[in-house]
């Protein structure tokens, strides 16, 4: 049964927007990104996406049975969680670890809090943060994009036996005879060797990275489509991007050799995917318009600070999780004044 | 923390009374078993969280910590129970702390004498047993009011309950984090350890999971007894 | 009230003293065994050892009652000839100090082995200090030649970024654990700077094991 959003005061919508209609649209918007991920990284990325989505759905089904509330799988939100999780993991990530991530994400990030609408943080990122802490080596093992034979063979680490250490991919990559493969993502290259990949490669997604985060322009297009259909709050992604670019700008002006250009910041890593599809999570972001902007800028600039000065190469995940955590606080700070109520000034508050 | 199930009345006491013929709790199986399950210090009363989270990253650390705490619990409980009629109310906490600190110091020496590796692994948490609320809680709520034998039995039960709780965390964390149990590898050299389980957050995850399991079991039992006695189950 | 407190304090004092008296020899014995095992693991060819201390005044004295300082163990082969000396140093790492024991070989004037005594580095990254085979290769012949005065190292030991080691006094860091690797370098430098000049000065007295 579709769950209706109940909106009683104005604006009076002509058509009831149900949760599952919005969620279905988000899934549609994610499909081109998934397709590109599979095109770019081949069968391994496909299996990865199927695993995370399948395990996420199964976990949701299991916990909604346990809670005796009836199944909430049909509202499509868990499908988004599964797909997003798959898109943020490296393409050769062992499937058993991906399953752990999906289970932990949906169970710990969502079911334990009471299901959709009650989760404090984005479930996909909770799952990813858990495996980042549990398997730090596997989650930073990258494989080249557009490897020859990617549609007929799997990355060797994909089919690792459960609970076993993944096979090193270095030998397999060496066997591909790729020129210019350094084993690093553009972010790592920039951070440690201060080399920026060409902007166009980065924006089109011709580089290594997590399976679905590389094609910045495609993600931007899909996100814009959703925003025009009013299925997501455009303020959040735009303010994340603005926050990131404006934070990176002064550093780049100070030392252009050491610090990345603002456009590199926008196009690299998971920033675009995070801004459009994860920070904008309806449940875990502030509800007020002003709050959404503050929240977005907070995430964007925190991402850049983690990237430039933190021990980690990419910071969008922790930035969004922290943003989710302070989201309710931002909401309550930015409550709009009730119409007709005069703002209390210092003079008027003192009798 | 009240001992609601025991008929305590320390108000009527005056002057030294015969130690073994005091009218207090009679020794039953429950005196011992309470601490293991119904009043488990970690999972039910949630005391002693600090060592529970900090030193359970392997089974041997958990066992060492649990047994040290049990030792301090039993011996200090016994001494407090013996001295209970001489310790003035106004300085009882100070007295308990001195007694507990004595035995913690002794345990500290003993562990060094037994194994320096274990001593290094447990670190400051040995000395911190002195401020473990389980021990002070037992001293205040039980040992200071009860005869020697029930105190010994009750402290032992609580201590073993604590040890079991630590072990249940320690084994899970060691198996997942390191693929071994008590240092013996279980899955061969290819096992991928879950790093987070050895790090402090793992303690929170595993503690939460165990508490969820135990609460679920308890709720289910309550619901069943309620259903069988004809009362409508309140859960739903 | 005072009498009770005094009584309890007396009992406590007695018990603690008793426990100390009983366990002190056992603890000392355990310490000795542990040290011996560490030293002989670090210098596998050793058959015997002599204990020294580097005192605050910078002298090498035989360990014994009343001598305090950093311990140095001289190890000897079965034929009584000096094999290597162990020196200890500390460097601050990612999560507190990293304490390391090194084996110093006066023949080649270099460090020939390392053993991490104490570290709180992150499991999975920082604890590679004691296990990573490539990293351990750094300590098979780490140059500690003294300068002309014989007061300090000619080239201080430094940790360099992974894959950029060019000189024998450099340590090639572990990729992904640079800070921990640097701590190890600092420990090596601290140990060598302090102990090597003194050892070289007193070398004549150390060369063979007194009968």
């Amino acid at each position: 049964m579709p769950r209706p959003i109940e909106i009683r005061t104005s604006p009076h919508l002509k058509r009831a927007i149900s949760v599952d209609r919005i969620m279905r649209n988000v899934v549609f918007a994610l499909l081109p990104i998934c397709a590109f991920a599979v095109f770019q990284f081949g069968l391994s990325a496909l299996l990865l996406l199927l695993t995370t989505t399948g395990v996420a759905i199964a976990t949701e089904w299991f916990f909604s049975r346990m809670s005796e509330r009836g199944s909430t799988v049909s509202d499509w939100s868990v499908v988004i969680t599964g797909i997003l999780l798959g898109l943020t993991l490296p393409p050769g990530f062992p499937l058993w670890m991906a399953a752990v991530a999906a289970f932990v994400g949906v169970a710990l990030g969502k079911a334990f809090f009471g299901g959709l609408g009650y989760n404090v943080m984005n479930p996909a990122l909770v799952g990813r943060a858990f495996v980042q802490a549990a398997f730090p080596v596997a989650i930073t093992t990258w494989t080249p994009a557009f490897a020859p034979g990617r549609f007929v063979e799997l990355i060797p680490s994909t089919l690792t036996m459960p609970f076993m250490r993944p096979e090193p991919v270095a030998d397999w990559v060496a066997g591909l005879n790729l020129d210019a493969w350094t084993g690093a993502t553009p972010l790592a290259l920039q951070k440690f060797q201060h080399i920026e990949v060409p902007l166009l490669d980065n924006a089109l997604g011709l580089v290594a990275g997590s399976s679905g985060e590389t094609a910045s322009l495609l993600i931007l297009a899909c996100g814009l489509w959703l925003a025009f259909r009013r299925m997501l709050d455009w303020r959040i992604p735009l303010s994340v991007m603005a926050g990131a670019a404006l934070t990176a700008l002064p550093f780049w002006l100070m030392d252009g050799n050491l610090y990345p250009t603002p456009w590199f910041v926008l196009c690299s890593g998971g920033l675009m995917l995070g801004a459009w599809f994860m920070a904008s999570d309806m449940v875990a972001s502030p509800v007020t318009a002003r709050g959404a902007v503050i929240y977005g800028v907070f995430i964007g600039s925190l991402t850049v600070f983690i990237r430039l000065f933190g021990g980690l190469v990419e910071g969008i995940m922790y930035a969004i999780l922290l943003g989710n955590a302070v989201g309710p606080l931002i909401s309550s700070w930015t409550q709009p004044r009730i119409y007709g109520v005069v703002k209390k000034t210092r003079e008027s508050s003192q009798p | 923390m009240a001992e609601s199930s025991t008929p305590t009345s320390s108000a009527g006491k005056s002057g030294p009374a015969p130690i073994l013929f005091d009218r207090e709790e009679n020794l039953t199986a429950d005196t011992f078993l309470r601490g293991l399950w119904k009043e488990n210090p970690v999972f039910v009363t949630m005391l002693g969280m600090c060592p529970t989270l900090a030193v359970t990253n392997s089974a041997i650390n958990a066992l060492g910590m649990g047994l040290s705490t049990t030792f301090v619990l039993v011996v200090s409980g016994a001494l407090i129970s013996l001295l209970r009629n001489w310790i003035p109310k106004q300085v009882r906490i100070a007295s308990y702390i001195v007694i507990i600190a004595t035995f913690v110091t002794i345990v500290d020496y003993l562990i060094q004498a037994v194994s320096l590796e274990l001593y290094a692994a447990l670190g400051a948490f040995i000395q911190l047993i002195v401020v473990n609320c389980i021990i002070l809680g037992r001293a205040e709520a039980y040992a200071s009011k009860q005869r020697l034998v029930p105190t010994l039995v009750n402290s032992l039960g609580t201590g073993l309950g604590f040890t079991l709780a630590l072990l249940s965390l320690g084994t899970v964390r060691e198996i997942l984090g390191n693929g071994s149990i008590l240092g013996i590898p279980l899955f061969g050299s290819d096992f991928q350890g879950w790093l987070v389980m050895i790090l402090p957050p793992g303690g929170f995850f595993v503690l939460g999971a165990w508490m969820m399991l135990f609460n679920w079991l308890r709720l289910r039992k309550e619901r069943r007894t309620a259903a069988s006695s004809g009362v409508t189950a309140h859960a739903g | 009230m005072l009498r009770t407190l005094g009584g309890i304090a007396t009992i406590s004092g007695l018990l603690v003293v008793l426990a100390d008296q009983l366990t002190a020899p056992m603890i000392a014995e355990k310490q000795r065994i542990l040290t011996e095992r560490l030293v002989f693991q670090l210098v596998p060819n050793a058959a015997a050892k002599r204990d020294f201390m580097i005192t605050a005044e910078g002298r090498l004295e035989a360990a014994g009652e009343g001598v305090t300082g950093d311990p140095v163990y001289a190890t000897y082969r079965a034929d009584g000839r000096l094999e290597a000396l162990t020196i200890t140093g500390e460097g601050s790492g990612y999560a507190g100090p990293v304490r390391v024991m090194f084996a110093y070989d006066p023949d080649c004037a270099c460090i020939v082995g390392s053993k991490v005594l104490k570290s709180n580095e992150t499991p999975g990254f920082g604890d590679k200090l004691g296990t990573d085979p490539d990293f351990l290769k750094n300590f098979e012949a780490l140059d500690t030649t003294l300068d002309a005065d014989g007061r300090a190292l000619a080239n201080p030991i430094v940790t360099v970024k992974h894959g950029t080691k060019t000189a024998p006094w450099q340590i090639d860091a572990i990729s992904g654990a640079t800070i921990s690797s640097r701590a190890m370098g600092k420990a090596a430098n601290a140990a060598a700077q302090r102990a090597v000049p003194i050892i070289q000065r007193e070398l004549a007295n150390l060369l063979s094991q007194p009968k």
Side-chain angles (χ1 to χ4, degrees), chain A residues 26 30 77-86 88 101-102 104-111 113 116 118-130 273-285 295 299 316-325:
Chain A
V26 178
L30 284 172
S77 65
V78 73
V79 179
I80 300 179
T81 302
I83 294 178
L84 280 178
L85 179 62
T88 55
V104 171
V106 175
L108 191 65
K110 190 173 172 192
F113 285 98
L116 181 66
Y118 300 95
N119 48 312
V120 181
M121 291 171 181
N122 186 316
L125 288 180
V126 172
R128 193 186 193 278
F130 183 84
L273 189 68
W276 285 96
F277 289 96
M278 287 190 272
S280 60
D281 183 305
M282 286 191 172
V283 181
S285 56
Y295 164 87
I299 291 175
I316 183 83
M317 172 177 77
Y318 290 120
I320 294 177
L321 286 173
L322 278 169
N324 289 161

Side-chain angles (χ1 to χ4, degrees), chain C residues 17 52 58 67 73 80 96-97 101 114 160 164 171 173 175 179 206 210-211:
Chain C
V17 169
F52 295 96
V67 183
Y73 303 104
M101 190 189 259
S114 71
V160 296
T164 58
I171 296 171
S175 166
I179 296 177
L206 295 168
K211 291 290 178 291

Side-chain angles (χ1 to χ4, degrees), chain A residues 137-206:
Chain A
V137 177
I139 208 162
T140 46
T141 303
W142 310 103
T143 48
F146 302 106
R150 62 189 181 280
F151 297 117
V152 287
E153 64 165 354
L154 291 168
I155 299 168
S157 55
T158 296
L159 290 180
T160 307
M161 286 294 287
F163 298 102
M164 292 297 138
R165 188 171 292 133
E167 209 179 303
V169 294
D171 294 343
W172 173 79
V173 173
L176 295 175
N177 288 324
L178 293 177
D179 305 337
W181 169 245
T182 57
T185 58
L187 273 175
L189 272 181
Q190 200 287 323
K191 181 164 182 146
F192 298 119
Q193 291 162 37
H194 311 300
I195 301 168
E196 275 190 23
V197 295
L199 180 64
L200 199 65
D201 285 4
N202 215 1
L204 292 178
L206 309 180

Side-chain angles (χ1 to χ4, degrees), chain A residues 36 40-41 202-205 207-216 219 267 269:
Chain A
F36 186 79
Q40 188 182 10
F41 293 108
N202 215 1
L204 292 178
V207 293
S210 295
S211 53
E213 69 175 21
T214 54
S216 311
I219 296 167
C267 291

Side-chain angles (χ1 to χ4, degrees), chain A residues 3-4 21 67 101 131 153 177 192 200-201 208 211 217 222 225-226 294-295 299 304 311 339:
Chain A
R3 232 161 98 197
R21 208 172 90 82
S67 71
V131 287
E153 64 165 354
N177 288 324
F192 298 119
L200 199 65
D201 285 4
S211 53
L217 282 184
C222 295
W225 178 75
L226 268 189
I294 296 173
Y295 164 87
I299 291 175
V304 174
Y339 183 69

Side-chain angles (χ1 to χ4, degrees), chain B residues 8-67:
Chain B
T8 51
S9 62
S10 52
K13 274 189 304 201
S14 59
I19 285 157
L20 292 170
F21 300 97
D22 210 340
R23 65 207 140 74
E24 307 294 347
E25 188 192 44
N26 287 320
L27 186 63
T28 57
D30 192 49
T31 312
F32 178 72
L33 292 177
R34 241 191 340 241
L36 278 185
W37 175 251
K38 212 162 61 189
E39 288 175 11
N40 185 297
V42 172
F43 294 129
V44 180
T45 56
M46 301 209 50
L47 296 173
M49 282 296 119
C50 189
T52 303
L53 293 167
V55 291
T56 54
N57 50 7
S58 73
I60 192 76
N61 288 358
L63 197 64
M65 187 69 202
L67 293 181

